[in-house]
Amino acid sequence: MRIVTCILVLSLVPCFGFGQNKITGKIVDQLGFPIYRASVALNTTDIITYTDYDGSFTLTSDKDFHWKVNISSKGYKPESYFVLSGGSTGAIVLEFDADIKELLDASSGID
């Protein structure tokens, strides 16, 4: 009897993941470097994640068609991005904000 119960429980485990859809991608700056700890949030939800050390992220959603993600990180302009079904964004490039651009321009001058 226990074996039958265990088999039934284990056969239902894969069913729990069918309602989840994954959105994956990578956030980089204009120079191609990964952005660590950029926030990636699904629009109009409380679902949020942060990029890891190589700029990669994964979000899960119950919605299964297309998504709008909002991306932000200090020193960069916020970005909204539409993800179609399939869930892979590829590399998303964030632009430097005005303060960082000014700092980079000032430090690149040769005197």
Side-chain angles (χ1 to χ4, degrees):
M1 183 66 177
R2 273 190 195 172
I3 294 173
V4 173
T5 305
C6 288
I7 291 173
L8 285 174
V9 169
L10 291 175
S11 67
L12 292 176
V13 170
C15 296
F16 295 119
F18 284 129
Q20 300 289 315
N21 295 293
K22 287 188 178 182
I23 305 164
T24 60
K26 185 173 184 174
I27 310 297
V28 297
D29 65 13
Q30 292 171 298
L31 301 173
F33 293 112
I35 300 174
Y36 176 67
R37 298 286 299 165
S39 68
V40 183
L42 283 177
N43 195 37
T44 68
T45 67
D46 293 335
I47 301 170
I48 188 169
T49 191
Y50 297 92
T51 57
D52 60 12
Y53 67 92
D54 67 347
S56 299
F57 69 91
T58 301
L59 281 170
T60 55
S61 171
D62 293 333
K63 190 176 173 183
D64 65 350
F65 182 62
H66 64 275
W67 306 270
K68 180 179 180 184
V69 292
N70 300 316
I71 305 158
S72 62
S73 183
K74 189 170 183 157
Y76 300 91
K77 294 179 182 177
E79 179 77 35
S80 293
Y81 192 84
F82 287 97
V83 182
L84 300 178
S85 61
S88 179
T89 66
I92 299 173
V93 179
L94 291 186
E95 291 183 27
F96 297 115
D97 67 6
D99 293 336
I100 298 296
K101 279 186 180 181
E102 182 180 324
L103 180 65
L104 290 173
D105 289 342
S107 66
S108 66
I110 301 174
D111 292 333

